[in-house]
Amino acid sequence: MQAPLLPSRARAASRTSIPSLPRLPVPDLHKTLQKYLQSLEPFLQEDEARGGTDFNTAYAARQQLANDFENGIGRLCQERLLELDRISPNNWLNDNIWLKKAYHEWRAPLIVNSNWWLALGDDQVIPPSVRHVSSPLRGYTPWQIRRAAWLVHRIVDFKAQLERQEVYPDTTRTGLWFRHAALQVFNACRVPQRDCDRFSSIPTLADADARKVLLMLNDWMYAVEVMASDRSPLPAALIEDRLRAAVADAEARRRKGERAVPVSVLTTNDRDRWADNLAHLLSLSPTNQRTFRIITQTVFALSLDDYTYNLPASHTTPDPDLAAHLHNVRSGHGARPGHNRWYDKAFTLIVEANTRAGVLGEHSPVDALVPSVIADYAIVQGVDEDVFPHRLGSERCESGLGGEKGEDAMRIADGWERLDWVVDSRLEAECEEAAKRAKAIVDDSDNDELVFDAYGVDWIKNEARLSPDAYIQMALQLAWYRTRGEFTATYETALTRLFKHGRTETIRALSADSRAWVLAMADPSTSNDTRLALLKRALQTHTQLTREAATGRGIDRHLLGLRLMLRADAGERHALFEDELFARSQEWKLSTSGLSAGYQFRGTGFGASYEDGYGINYMPAPDNLRFGIESKHSCPKTSTQLFMAAVVSALEDMQVLCKPTLHAHL
């Protein structure tokens, strides 16, 4: 998604004809139930094939449940949902349900489980001798700080242009949706509370803290002003000076033997424990209350890592540099993960000593496509050396931040301050325990990036003449079956950006038609003509499901809303929602989401929803397909490397299948 620019004259002239986005509809009850029954077909077919209840009997039982619900209490639930929509400012789902049920009531740690990660491409301006080093770098480096300053400047510039409506103006429906969504990324922070989290309060335009970034340096925290009072970005050179000054301060503290208490690692705890720790932290001192308030109101976070992370020699991966890059963005250094990050911030820019950069995101404010557009804007233009007072050349290891030079940097630059904490022995012990738990989570995360470059979207669209997204989803279905010998509920994200404040809907990628095609691929007696016909039918079904989900006619959000309209305190319940198949059809052991082509990105990822499943974020580009895949080492049923190989095999077989002249070679 590229930022549409609009000349100022056109923006002014168009103010009289501002479009609007419709409200997300409450789907028709009968249609939702019929689509739900249809989505159960592959599960019932599998049950019958494996010796369970015959399909017709099992289907009839579910049909009876649906009919009973529709003609009974389901009508009342639908009426309540419609009334909820009438009194909601934007829509029934996002104003009342989705944020709590999908994110803020979830008690699991955010690290790996909920946060998404994105590895940014290299800056071609930076000398190769800086980016690719023979031995691991230790300490902060000039090019690291310069790239960080440049990226911060670009991100703040994007925010300013959004606010001035110079990009994504509200004169288009795309602009209306994106502008609202993108602004949720900035000055946002999740705040832990027992049972259900919340967002931090929105800072006022006059709040100076809203013009700062949270800077994290070896677990120390600083606030650095990066915006002027009119909310325009400060010059990149000035931002660089301020970052250098803060880094020099952190280095001076380290040389004196000071050690930061890693309070930020508490954000990796389960949410209730983090809520308890935060309450205790804030009770200790007004200093802590001020520090926490500044953290939540900063525009975003910047983590500078004083190292270049390399994977252990025992780690198997096709691209060690890329895998190490992704791992560091996801969770920090493998020996001490969870440090130097504030996992509750919506957007954290991360830059390593060798200038590898990435973004870590808290998922609840917005879905990953939106911050990826912001990141794309930040890196599409490399560092402009002309805006800095001196060129760095090939400076690599000498940071120039120690001794007198460091003191000079601190004296010259203002606009930054320490954010310190007052802690006690209880919190120090909690930090140690949180770090151990974070390491256990990260050590169990089997995360890598598959770069499939035999073909990409261009071949799928122009040669095979098929839908690229549906094609990729079928490859994932085939890969799963080949590695597991069974089928599973599959979640694919559909954005409901046609609607005001729309978020997402589920595409149920496992269908009776996708199952039939996968089984045909596994049956050597099935001809390739039949396989191809079944593939095309499965793709058509998937495309239809995608269209329905994107246009407010999906089923999963509606079913959630209906279930929540039951008043348990009044004894209301229904067997439809207590049926084991209702739950099984939502056990998303394949949790998938497509991003953009990702020209500026090296890789991406998010965690698996189930211990025996996969989290898969893919980026389909014209000449390649990339898959960020995460699973758990502790599960004997999963292996990211094995699944990557299965995806490659599936994509290769599908290409052959779609080339009639090569059918005989499959």
Side-chain angles (χ1 to χ4, degrees):
M1 183 186 289
Q2 296 202 354
L5 300 175
L6 194 66
S8 57
R9 186 181 305 170
R11 289 198 305 275
S14 63
R15 287 286 180 245
T16 58
S17 58
I18 296 176
S20 62
L21 290 174
R23 295 169 68 90
L24 181 74
V26 178
D28 179 81
L29 177 60
H30 177 74
K31 290 180 179 178
T32 289
L33 293 172
Q34 294 307 303
K35 293 174 186 176
Y36 167 66
L37 290 172
Q38 188 177 33
S39 76
L40 298 183
E41 290 180 7
F43 298 95
L44 297 175
Q45 291 168 343
E46 259 315 275
D47 289 347
E48 181 183 47
R50 295 175 184 272
T53 306
D54 70 274
F55 176 86
N56 290 333
T57 300
Y59 187 85
R62 271 67 187 197
Q63 197 169 38
Q64 179 58 43
L65 288 176
N67 291 340
D68 183 74
F69 180 74
E70 181 181 356
N71 296 317
I73 199 171
R75 289 184 178 181
L76 182 58
C77 291
Q78 181 77 349
E79 290 173 3
R80 290 170 179 168
L81 210 53
L82 290 167
E83 176 60 25
L84 181 65
D85 185 51
R86 279 191 288 270
I87 64 175
S88 299
N90 300 299
N91 67 63
W92 60 274
L93 178 65
N94 299 95
D95 292 339
N96 308 283
I97 296 172
W98 185 242
L99 191 64
K100 291 181 179 179
K101 295 301 175 182
Y103 299 107
H104 284 183
E105 289 183 359
W106 200 31
R107 302 290 84 195
L110 299 186
I111 185 172
V112 177
N113 297 312
S114 181
N115 289 60
W116 50 264
W117 52 90
L118 181 66
L120 307 184
D122 293 338
D123 190 326
Q124 299 307 310
V125 174
I126 297 171
S129 60
V130 174
R131 169 62 180 85
H132 301 283
V133 293
S134 57
S135 59
L137 288 176
R138 292 295 305 181
Y140 302 102
T141 64
W143 270 110
Q144 173 191 23
I145 297 171
R146 177 152 295 182
R147 189 180 193 199
W150 178 251
L151 291 174
V152 168
H153 172 82
R154 293 280 295 173
I155 293 167
V156 173
D157 180 54
F158 185 85
K159 178 178 183 290
Q161 291 191 58
L162 270 179
E163 292 175 335
R164 295 192 302 264
Q165 299 201 40
E166 294 174 0
V167 293
Y168 293 102
D170 61 14
T171 54
T172 68
R173 287 184 171 85
T174 297
L176 278 171
W177 178 83
F178 181 83
R179 182 168 173 270
H180 167 78
L183 289 175
Q184 309 309 304
V185 173
F186 301 111
N187 305 107
C189 191
R190 183 164 167 171
V191 178
Q193 296 184 139
R194 277 217 159 249
D195 301 325
C196 182
D197 292 353
R198 64 175 176 85
F199 283 135
S200 58
S201 59
I202 300 172
T204 66
L205 294 177
D207 194 329
D209 295 330
R211 302 196 299 270
K212 302 171 182 176
V213 295
L214 167 64
L215 173 62
M216 304 197 67
L217 301 168
N218 202 17
D219 289 327
W220 276 299
M221 301 182 198
Y222 295 82
V224 179
E225 192 167 7
V226 296
M227 299 167 64
S229 57
D230 64 356
R231 302 172 76 83
S232 62
L234 293 178
L238 180 55
I239 296 174
E240 181 186 47
D241 285 344
R242 292 177 173 180
L243 294 181
R244 285 171 60 86
V247 168
D249 182 67
E251 290 289 80
R253 296 165 83 176
R254 182 185 59 80
R255 287 193 301 273
K256 292 176 183 177
E258 296 180 35
R259 182 183 65 87
V261 177
V263 172
S264 64
V265 80
L266 296 175
T267 66
T268 68
N269 263 328
D270 72 79
R271 303 308 292 173
D272 284 343
R273 187 157 188 160
W274 169 212
D276 292 344
N277 285 331
L278 177 61
H280 180 66
L281 180 67
L282 297 181
S283 73
L284 292 179
S285 169
T287 297
N288 293 348
Q289 297 170 19
R290 179 179 182 273
T291 291
F292 182 71
R293 183 183 62 80
I294 293 174
I295 286 172
T296 61
Q297 297 197 341
T298 50
V299 63
F300 60 90
L302 168 64
S303 292
L304 295 183
D305 293 333
D306 64 343
Y307 58 81
T308 294
Y309 179 57
N310 288 330
L311 293 171
S314 59
H315 190 98
T316 302
T317 176
D319 187 338
D321 182 81
L322 173 56
H325 187 181
L326 285 164
H327 285 207
N328 192 66
V329 175
R330 177 201 63 191
S331 49
H333 198 290
R336 50 196 304 270
H339 287 259
N340 214 45
R341 311 279 187 270
W342 196 270
Y343 282 86
D344 291 354
K345 284 298 283 185
F347 189 102
T348 299
L349 174 66
I350 298 161
V351 186
E352 292 180 70
N354 71 340
T355 73
R356 285 193 310 213
V359 177
L360 176 72
E362 200 281 295
H363 214 149
S364 66
V366 71
D367 299 286
L369 174 67
V370 175
S372 78
V373 175
I374 300 170
D376 184 87
Y377 179 90
I379 63 173
V380 70
Q381 181 179 336
V383 173
D384 184 356
E385 285 266 71
D386 291 337
V387 305
F388 295 94
H390 68 279
R391 293 176 176 269
L392 293 178
S394 297
E395 290 182 53
R396 179 168 66 87
C397 295
E398 184 187 349
S399 67
L401 300 174
E404 294 181 1
K405 288 185 178 180
E407 293 173 3
D408 289 343
M410 287 186 279
R411 281 196 297 268
I412 292 171
D414 56 6
W416 61 276
E417 64 173 312
R418 294 179 178 181
L419 296 178
D420 290 331
W421 300 100
V422 176
V423 299
D424 58 9
S425 58
R426 169 184 162 179
L427 279 174
E428 289 185 343
E430 285 289 340
C431 289
E432 291 180 7
E433 292 302 312
K436 293 176 184 176
R437 287 188 290 271
K439 191 171 191 316
I441 292 172
V442 170
D443 285 350
D444 195 33
S445 178
D446 185 4
N447 169 223
D448 211 333
E449 187 83 8
L450 165 63
V451 181
F452 178 82
D453 56 8
Y455 62 91
V457 167
D458 282 353
W459 184 87
I460 299 171
K461 284 197 305 186
N462 302 329
E463 300 297 326
R465 299 185 181 277
L466 299 172
S467 162
D469 184 75
Y471 185 99
I472 291 169
Q473 285 291 329
M474 292 309 108
L476 296 176
Q477 289 294 310
L478 184 56
W480 174 275
Y481 186 80
R482 284 176 169 176
T483 57
R484 298 289 280 269
E486 61 183 11
F487 295 91
T488 186
T490 304
Y491 182 107
E492 182 190 358
T493 303
L495 290 177
T496 52
R497 57 187 175 189
L498 297 177
F499 303 99
K500 184 180 180 182
H501 296 188
R503 287 287 298 260
T504 64
E505 177 58 274
T506 304
I507 305 167
R508 294 193 171 199
L510 173 64
S511 66
D513 290 329
S514 68
R515 176 180 177 272
W517 172 69
V518 169
L519 291 176
M521 292 296 289
D523 181 4
S525 67
T526 303
S527 70
N528 282 325
D529 287 340
T530 299
R531 290 173 173 174
L532 183 58
L534 289 171
L535 172 61
K536 290 182 176 180
R537 181 172 177 176
L539 295 176
Q540 290 172 351
T541 297
H542 189 86
T543 300
Q544 177 63 25
L545 292 172
T546 302
R547 186 179 301 114
E548 291 174 353
T551 54
R553 294 175 292 151
I555 66 171
D556 280 282
R557 306 296 181 264
H558 190 201
L559 289 171
L560 173 64
L562 291 168
R563 181 170 60 84
L564 293 175
M565 292 302 101
L566 290 171
R567 295 174 179 169
D569 56 350
E572 293 180 356
R573 56 190 296 184
H574 196 274
L576 176 76
F577 301 117
E578 297 168 3
D579 178 21
E580 65 87 19
L581 200 53
F582 182 83
R584 181 154 48 110
S585 68
Q586 298 178 65
E587 290 178 358
W588 316 115
K589 295 185 180 182
L590 265 183
S591 179
T592 73
S593 183
L595 207 58
S596 62
Y599 298 111
Q600 310 298 329
F601 309 140
R602 300 187 73 203
T604 182
F606 57 79
S609 299
Y610 287 83
E611 293 299 309
D612 57 344
Y614 294 95
I616 303 175
N617 201 192
Y618 54 91
M619 295 187 290
D623 58 355
N624 65 68
L625 307 171
R626 282 172 289 169
F627 301 81
I629 302 176
E630 199 274 344
S631 63
K632 308 304 177 192
H633 287 296
S634 59
C635 179
K637 295 181 179 180
T638 60
S639 163
T640 292
Q641 296 300 321
L642 179 64
F643 196 79
M644 286 167 59
V647 171
V648 170
S649 176
L651 289 169
E652 291 173 344
D653 289 351
M654 290 171 72
Q655 184 182 39
V656 173
L657 185 65
C658 295
K659 289 182 176 179
T661 57
L662 299 178
H663 280 175
H665 300 293
L666 182 61

